Each structure stands twice: as structure tokens, then as C-alpha cells.
Amino acid sequence: MADAPDPTLYDKVVNLCKVRGFVFPSAEIYGGFRSTYDYGPLGVLALRNVKQAWWRSMVQLRDDVVGLDAAILSPPDVWGASGHLTNFTDPMVDCRSCKERWRADQIGDTCPNCGSTDLTEPRAFHLMFKTHAGPIEDEGHVAYLRPETAQGMFTDFASVQRATRKRPPFGIAQIGKAFRNEITTHNFIFRTREFEVMELEYFVPPAEADQWFEHWLDARFQWHLEYGIKPDHLRTRFHDPDELSHYSARTADIEFLFPWGWGELEGVANRTDFDLKAHAAASGEALDYFDPSTNERYVPYVIEPALGATRSLMAFLLSAYDEDEVGGERRTVLRLDWRLAPYQVAVLPLSKKPELEATSREVLALVQPHFMCDYDTTQSIGRRYRRQDEVGTPFGITVDHDTMRDGTVTLRDRDTMTQVRVPEDRLVDELRARIG
Ligand code: GAP
């Protein structure tokens, strides 16, 4: 059983994100803008690392998956065929008392704002952002911002398959922005109107769909554990038939224990041949596969693991946040996996003395090509260690007067806080050995 979520954890992580430059409310000098967020100097590094970790396991380490970066703007035809124009809605209710709007399926029959039960009947609210492509704002120029990246993988299916000569089972992976006009946004970057998503569309012979669904559900579950989510904070929940998206025959959510309770982290769906058939019918283009070994032509089924990059970052930050005591003082430490930490290494001259500065810069130049490094000369060395712990930097390198004499530096470990002397010329190897 997982521990009950710490009620203060959420505020601590949100505050750390803001103060240390992970995530800022967007347009904050104008009072913020409707739950949009900017990823600051550390956030952009950590978010890149989350995306890189996903790309590595989904594309780099496989020979059956290729990448794609499709357009964000797309014509209504795409969303008509995919079913989103009709089905991509959430049920919305208004509170007649305080006039707030809510997602009906999230609030039961009581307004969370004022406690009134005087709510309107639920009605469908469409979640796609609509705009116009070109200088004329009429119906003929309507375009939509994509609410998922998946459709680009379906509309480009034949082009990718021809270009790469891949045969099912094979996949197309994509990372990119998606936009949903969510009725209610809440919980920091958990649910926002603009977010980044990492999706794989894995095309399989229909008879193999169940087996690949199990494969991906298991592989994706393991990925979260590998990068630092605690096993008792992760679980799988299968959707009831009435919960399934319009395209799905089977969906399982990988859920994370957020501070407010269990919530969806990633979805794995069997989208069947719904999308390819729908686009083939609407476009008139064949979106199928001819298998020369059996002389059969078929429309592949699609297994789709889909994970929000920004939501995943939030789960990693919540999992990594820790506090302990060092020398009678409280220490905040982000125990991020080194592959996700914004900086892997901090180079810290012991003091601001000019002779140390030159040697420190030489040490920085040694490690910088291999690791993302911070270089910090402000405040006392103890304070600087704390600052690095707080943003999850796994290793600190301190340069002192002995460095100038014997060419050794102090290597400090974030988690154990042990310090060892290491010769400069062995530093990169030593760091590599430590991170495996
Ligand atoms: N193509 C399938 C699809 O879009 P989804 O469950 O609606 O499925 C996939 O979204 C993932 O994207 C979710 O599991 C979640 O991690 C993330 N996500 C969805 N809506 C989001 C939002 N408004 N803000 C942040 N992340 C979101």
C-alpha cells in the first residue's frame, strides 16, 4: 500500500518550480493567462530530458519504430474523418448560483466552488481550438490546432510506410504540442490547454493486436519505474466499456498517485483499424498494407501508448522531491534520475579568488562536452551545494587550492553527500562510472 499523499507536497513542488526556474505561469506580468505555463531555464532542460528518455526507449533502441514531426495546424477534413468534430467533447454544467462552469463527470451534483446543487443539465462542450489559416476568416479557411499528435501518424501512414519500407508490426512515434480547450484546468501542469504529448502509433496485423497491447502496457509501465516513479505510486486501470474513447476497443490507463489521489499518467489504447479506415474512406487514398508473404491486403490495427510529456515531468518532480536533515539543518533534495536532472554536474570554485576561477573554468571545459553543467560562484560552498541538491544535480565538483597544486578536485554525490578526491584527468571517466 502506498503512503497517503503528503498534503503539503503539491505546494512545495509548485513553489520550487517557480522559485528555481522550472515552471512559471505564462504572461505572469499580466496576471497569467488561463492556465498556460512557461518552462524556465531548468524546466526546459528537465522537459527535454523526459522527451529524450521517451524517444530513446521508443525510437532509438528499436528498429521497428520511426519518428515523425507533423504539422500542428490541420484542416477540418482530418478531424471530421477522425470523429473529433463530432465526439471530442466533454460534458459541461453551469452552477446557477456562482456561475462557474465545470466538467460534469468531475464534480458529481455539487458545485465545488460554492456548494450549490443548482446545476444546469450537462451539455457537450467541444474541446478543439479553432482558427483560420490565411487572411480570410470564413468557413472555407477554418483550421484546427491538433488535440493529439496521433492523426498526423495516420494521415502520413502510407508515406512513412513507402519511405521506410517497414512492415507491420512497426510504429511511428511523435512528440509535440497539443491543444485542448479544457473546461476546467487545474493542478498546475497536470491539465492545461496547451501541453506536450508523446505518442506511438504501433501498426500490427489485426490478429496480433491483443498481444501487442499487453506488450506496450507492460513496456510503458516499466519505463516510468526505470526513471524513478515509485512502484507503489503506479498502477494500471482498465477503462469500463462506457468510458472508452470513440475510437478505442480497449484502453488501460497507467495511473500515478498524485497528491490529490490517483490520476491518469499515460493511456494505452487499442484503436483497432478505426482511424486508417476512416481516413481512407474520407480521402479516397488506400491506407492499408499488402503482405507479400501471404498475398493478403489488410488494414492494420493500431496500439497506441500516449503520455503527456508535461504531465510526466510533473510526476517525476513529485516523486523526486524529498527532505532530509544535514548537520541539524533541513535539506530539500530532488532525487531525480541523473538522465532527467536539468544539470548532471555543477562546477563550484571553493571561493571567488581569481586564481581558482581560471582553474575552475578549465575543469568546466573538461566536463561540459559530456554533461549538462552548471557553473556557480555565488554564496558559500555549503549554500551552493544546497541549491544544487534542491534542483536535483547529482554531482558537484569543487575546485580548491589543492586542485592547483595536485590537479585533484572534490566530487560530491547528491544523495549520499559523500565527497572523494578525483584527479581532473579521470573526472569524466569517474562520472561515467558512477552513473553507469
Ligand atoms: N491520442 C490519444 C490521446 O490523446 P489522451 O488520454 O486524451 O489520449 C494522452 O491523452 C495523454 O496526454 C494523457 O494520458 C495525459 O498524460 C496527457 N494529457 C491529456 N490531456 C492533457 C492536458 N489537458 N494537459 C496535460 N496533459 C494532458
Side-chain angles (χ1 to χ4, degrees):
M1 266 287 281
D3 294 339
D6 169 5
T8 64
L9 176 65
Y10 175 80
D11 286 339
K12 285 175 180 168
V13 170
V14 172
N15 185 52
L16 187 143
C17 280
K18 187 170 174 197
V19 174
R20 298 308 313 276
F22 280 88
V23 183
F24 308 121
S26 194
E28 201 179 8
I29 60 168
Y30 294 100
F33 179 64
R34 298 182 182 276
S35 295
T36 50
Y37 289 92
D38 298 340
Y39 290 79
L42 297 195
V44 72
L45 294 174
L47 186 57
R48 258 170 183 260
N49 292 342
V50 170
K51 291 185 280 186
Q52 174 54 26
W54 186 89
W55 192 264
R56 180 179 158 78
S57 83
M58 304 301 264
V59 183
Q60 186 181 337
L61 297 181
R62 303 188 65 104
D63 59 10
D64 57 349
V65 177
V66 293
L68 184 74
D69 189 1
I72 288 174
L73 282 176
S74 38
D77 293 348
V78 168
W79 304 108
S82 72
H84 283 75
L85 284 186
T86 328
N87 297 310
F88 200 57
T89 59
D90 275 338
M92 176 176 72
V93 289
D94 289 315
C95 171
R96 290 198 182 90
S97 180
C98 72
K99 313 294 178 211
E100 282 286 331
R101 287 200 153 157
W102 302 101
R103 240 177 85 170
D105 55 330
Q106 287 178 345
I107 64 160
D109 46 17
T110 309
C111 171
N113 189 41
C114 69
S116 166
T117 51
D118 190 9
L119 306 175
T120 60
E121 282 300 305
R123 55 201 190 285
F125 176 76
H126 200 257
L127 296 179
M128 276 201 291
F129 278 100
K130 193 176 180 178
T131 185
H132 294 92
I136 302 167
E137 292 197 6
D138 65 9
E139 274 306 301
H141 293 80
V142 165
Y144 290 93
L145 302 189
R146 63 184 180 194
E148 60 171 13
T149 66
Q151 297 307 320
M153 272 95 90
F154 301 132
T155 55
D156 285 348
F157 168 77
S159 304
V160 172
Q161 199 274 322
R162 269 195 301 271
T164 62
R165 307 180 70 79
K166 294 282 179 204
R167 299 156 173 225
F170 83 96
I172 309 178
Q174 183 167 196
I175 300 177
K177 289 250 177 173
F179 302 83
R180 296 181 187 180
N181 199 4
E182 300 281 1
I183 298 168
T184 48
T185 52
H186 54 117
N187 295 335
F188 193 42
I189 55 172
F190 175 78
R191 186 183 307 287
T192 50
R193 298 201 168 93
E194 174 178 344
F195 59 98
E196 273 193 278
V197 70
M198 312 188 281
E199 294 188 299
L200 171 71
E201 306 306 322
Y202 197 73
F203 302 94
V204 302
E208 296 176 21
D210 283 339
Q211 147 200 347
W212 282 109
F213 180 91
E214 300 297 337
H215 166 87
W216 281 113
L217 186 55
D218 181 53
R220 295 304 311 146
F221 198 93
Q222 294 306 322
W223 182 87
H224 296 283
L225 298 178
E226 183 191 336
Y227 282 89
I229 304 290
K230 298 178 188 101
D232 59 357
H233 282 60
L234 208 59
R235 72 177 189 189
T236 301
R237 186 184 69 81
F238 283 85
H239 282 208
D240 290 333
D242 61 352
E243 229 187 310
L244 292 172
S245 306
H246 62 274
Y247 50 72
S248 177
R250 194 177 174 205
T251 295
D253 286 346
I254 297 174
E255 293 190 332
F256 175 72
L257 187 54
F258 288 94
W260 57 89
W262 289 98
E264 176 185 346
L265 185 57
E266 171 158 12
V268 179
N270 174 357
R271 292 182 78 129
T272 68
D273 52 9
F274 175 90
D275 301 272
L276 289 180
K277 275 191 171 159
H279 285 301
S283 68
E285 296 288 328
L287 297 175
D288 53 17
Y289 175 71
F290 177 72
D291 185 342
S293 63
T294 59
N295 265 345
E296 269 183 293
R297 186 171 287 285
Y298 65 90
V299 179
Y301 268 36
V302 174
I303 306 302
E304 176 196 67
L307 168 65
T310 36
R311 191 176 289 187
S312 176
L313 173 63
M314 182 168 177
F316 284 126
L317 290 171
L318 287 163
S319 302
Y321 186 94
D322 196 11
E323 290 169 359
D324 58 11
E325 219 182 85
V326 181
E329 268 186 45
R330 211 195 61 181
R331 172 177 86 132
T332 298
V333 53
L334 273 190
R335 299 192 192 279
L336 283 171
D337 185 287
W338 69 271
R339 295 165 291 186
L340 304 181
Y343 300 117
Q344 278 96 50
V345 175
V347 177
L348 310 167
L350 188 64
S351 73
K352 277 189 180 159
K353 295 219 169 84
E355 63 272 21
L356 282 186
E357 169 88 15
T359 312
S360 301
R361 291 218 165 263
E362 280 168 28
V363 172
L364 178 66
L366 274 177
V367 282
Q368 216 167 25
H370 308 279
F371 302 100
M372 189 71 210
C373 297
D374 191 18
Y375 182 75
D376 188 4
T377 58
T378 59
Q379 301 185 306
S380 74
I381 188 70
R383 294 289 284 273
R384 279 180 281 156
Y385 282 150
R386 294 291 167 279
R387 285 171 58 79
Q388 294 297 336
D389 292 342
E390 205 180 39
V391 300
T393 312
F395 301 107
I397 297 171
T398 313
V399 176
D400 55 23
H401 284 95
D402 286 345
T403 312
M404 292 185 294
R405 222 186 44 238
D406 63 9
T408 64
V409 295
T410 300
L411 181 57
R412 175 186 180 271
D413 182 293
R414 172 195 74 197
D415 294 328
T416 61
M417 287 182 292
T418 50
Q419 303 189 6
V420 289
R421 292 301 287 191
V422 176
E424 277 174 77
D425 54 4
R426 287 217 3 249
L427 202 44
V428 170
D429 288 343
E430 189 67 35
L431 285 163
R432 286 231 169 93
R434 277 156 194 266
I435 57 187

